[in-house]
mmCIF file of all heavy atoms in Angstrom:
data_model
loop_
_atom_site.group_PDB
_atom_site.id
_atom_site.type_symbol
_atom_site.label_atom_id
_atom_site.label_comp_id
_atom_site.label_asym_id
_atom_site.label_seq_id
_atom_site.Cartn_x
_atom_site.Cartn_y
_atom_site.Cartn_z
ATOM 1 N N THR J 40 -14.513 25.367 1.735
ATOM 2 C CA THR J 40 -15.837 25.877 2.120
ATOM 3 C C THR J 40 -15.779 27.272 2.733
ATOM 4 O O THR J 40 -16.812 27.805 3.150
ATOM 5 C CB THR J 40 -16.491 24.915 3.137
ATOM 6 O OG1 THR J 40 -15.652 24.828 4.299
ATOM 7 C CG2 THR J 40 -16.674 23.537 2.538
ATOM 8 N N ARG J 44 -21.741 28.968 1.041
ATOM 9 C CA ARG J 44 -23.012 28.600 1.673
ATOM 10 C C ARG J 44 -23.222 27.081 1.627
ATOM 11 O O ARG J 44 -23.147 26.457 0.580
ATOM 12 C CB ARG J 44 -24.175 29.292 0.965
ATOM 13 C CG ARG J 44 -24.127 30.807 1.071
ATOM 14 C CD ARG J 44 -25.250 31.430 0.253
ATOM 15 N NE ARG J 44 -26.572 31.118 0.774
ATOM 16 C CZ ARG J 44 -27.584 30.671 0.039
ATOM 17 N NH1 ARG J 44 -27.413 30.463 -1.267
ATOM 18 N NH2 ARG J 44 -28.755 30.424 0.586
ATOM 19 N N LEU J 47 -28.887 23.220 4.911
ATOM 20 C CA LEU J 47 -29.380 21.992 5.527
ATOM 21 C C LEU J 47 -30.858 22.128 5.794
ATOM 22 O O LEU J 47 -31.304 23.104 6.426
ATOM 23 C CB LEU J 47 -28.624 21.700 6.824
ATOM 24 C CG LEU J 47 -29.000 20.399 7.542
ATOM 25 C CD1 LEU J 47 -27.773 19.758 8.187
ATOM 26 C CD2 LEU J 47 -30.081 20.623 8.604
ATOM 27 N N ALA J 120 -33.672 16.914 -2.308
ATOM 28 C CA ALA J 120 -32.680 16.411 -3.254
ATOM 29 C C ALA J 120 -33.032 16.813 -4.685
ATOM 30 O O ALA J 120 -32.163 17.171 -5.481
ATOM 31 C CB ALA J 120 -32.562 14.893 -3.137
ATOM 32 N N HIS J 130 -25.823 17.240 -3.421
ATOM 33 C CA HIS J 130 -26.719 17.034 -2.278
ATOM 34 C C HIS J 130 -26.404 15.723 -1.581
ATOM 35 O O HIS J 130 -25.868 14.781 -2.172
ATOM 36 C CB HIS J 130 -28.183 17.021 -2.729
ATOM 37 C CG HIS J 130 -28.523 15.825 -3.574
ATOM 38 N ND1 HIS J 130 -28.248 15.784 -4.929
ATOM 39 C CD2 HIS J 130 -29.096 14.638 -3.253
ATOM 40 C CE1 HIS J 130 -28.641 14.618 -5.411
ATOM 41 N NE2 HIS J 130 -29.162 13.901 -4.417
ATOM 42 N N PRO J 217 7.682 17.996 18.112
ATOM 43 C CA PRO J 217 6.978 17.474 19.290
ATOM 44 C C PRO J 217 7.741 17.691 20.593
ATOM 45 O O PRO J 217 7.147 18.036 21.620
ATOM 46 C CB PRO J 217 6.834 15.979 18.971
ATOM 47 C CG PRO J 217 6.874 15.898 17.479
ATOM 48 C CD PRO J 217 7.813 16.979 17.052
ATOM 49 N N LEU J 262 5.111 -7.638 2.835
ATOM 50 C CA LEU J 262 6.256 -6.732 2.863
ATOM 51 C C LEU J 262 6.747 -6.567 4.303
ATOM 52 O O LEU J 262 5.950 -6.511 5.232
ATOM 53 C CB LEU J 262 5.863 -5.357 2.338
ATOM 54 C CG LEU J 262 5.930 -5.076 0.843
ATOM 55 C CD1 LEU J 262 5.408 -3.676 0.583
ATOM 56 C CD2 LEU J 262 7.340 -5.193 0.321
ATOM 57 N N LEU J 270 10.237 2.321 0.852
ATOM 58 C CA LEU J 270 9.366 2.810 -0.224
ATOM 59 C C LEU J 270 8.858 4.215 0.087
ATOM 60 O O LEU J 270 8.745 5.056 -0.804
ATOM 61 C CB LEU J 270 8.191 1.861 -0.427
ATOM 62 C CG LEU J 270 8.457 0.613 -1.267
ATOM 63 C CD1 LEU J 270 7.258 -0.326 -1.209
ATOM 64 C CD2 LEU J 270 8.756 0.991 -2.704
ATOM 65 N N ASP J 274 12.956 8.486 -3.494
ATOM 66 C CA ASP J 274 12.714 9.465 -4.555
ATOM 67 C C ASP J 274 12.465 8.761 -5.886
ATOM 68 O O ASP J 274 11.711 9.243 -6.720
ATOM 69 C CB ASP J 274 13.925 10.394 -4.710
ATOM 70 C CG ASP J 274 14.237 11.168 -3.451
ATOM 71 O OD1 ASP J 274 13.336 11.882 -2.976
ATOM 72 O OD2 ASP J 274 15.358 11.048 -2.929
ATOM 73 N N ASN J 314 21.755 -0.988 -14.370
ATOM 74 C CA ASN J 314 22.864 -0.443 -13.569
ATOM 75 C C ASN J 314 23.037 1.054 -13.820
ATOM 76 O O ASN J 314 23.249 1.844 -12.890
ATOM 77 C CB ASN J 314 24.159 -1.176 -13.903
ATOM 78 C CG ASN J 314 24.161 -2.618 -13.423
ATOM 79 O OD1 ASN J 314 23.243 -3.054 -12.744
ATOM 80 N ND2 ASN J 314 25.196 -3.350 -13.790
ATOM 81 N N ALA J 335 15.653 -10.074 -2.717
ATOM 82 C CA ALA J 335 16.600 -9.457 -3.657
ATOM 83 C C ALA J 335 17.826 -10.324 -3.898
ATOM 84 O O ALA J 335 18.450 -10.250 -4.965
ATOM 85 C CB ALA J 335 17.028 -8.087 -3.119
ATOM 86 N N GLU J 344 24.497 -5.561 -9.493
ATOM 87 C CA GLU J 344 24.085 -4.193 -9.191
ATOM 88 C C GLU J 344 24.862 -3.638 -8.001
ATOM 89 O O GLU J 344 25.228 -2.454 -7.970
ATOM 90 C CB GLU J 344 22.575 -4.158 -8.956
ATOM 91 C CG GLU J 344 21.797 -4.539 -10.219
ATOM 92 C CD GLU J 344 20.305 -4.675 -9.994
ATOM 93 O OE1 GLU J 344 19.826 -4.323 -8.889
ATOM 94 O OE2 GLU J 344 19.607 -5.123 -10.925
ATOM 95 N N SER J 354 26.486 4.730 -1.239
ATOM 96 C CA SER J 354 26.087 3.891 -0.107
ATOM 97 C C SER J 354 24.887 3.031 -0.476
ATOM 98 O O SER J 354 24.067 3.406 -1.315
ATOM 99 C CB SER J 354 25.758 4.758 1.110
ATOM 100 O OG SER J 354 24.584 5.522 0.882
ATOM 101 N N GLU J 485 -3.744 -40.584 2.301
ATOM 102 C CA GLU J 485 -3.592 -41.375 3.515
ATOM 103 C C GLU J 485 -4.911 -41.975 3.959
ATOM 104 O O GLU J 485 -4.982 -43.147 4.389
ATOM 105 C CB GLU J 485 -2.986 -40.517 4.624
ATOM 106 C CG GLU J 485 -1.538 -40.132 4.380
ATOM 107 C CD GLU J 485 -1.004 -39.164 5.409
ATOM 108 O OE1 GLU J 485 -1.806 -38.734 6.277
ATOM 109 O OE2 GLU J 485 0.203 -38.872 5.379
#
Side-chain angles (χ1 to χ4, degrees):
T40 60
R44 297 176 66 229
L47 183 144
H130 68 278
L262 273 176
L270 279 172
D274 300 303
N314 291 354
E344 296 173 8
S354 68
E485 291 174 356

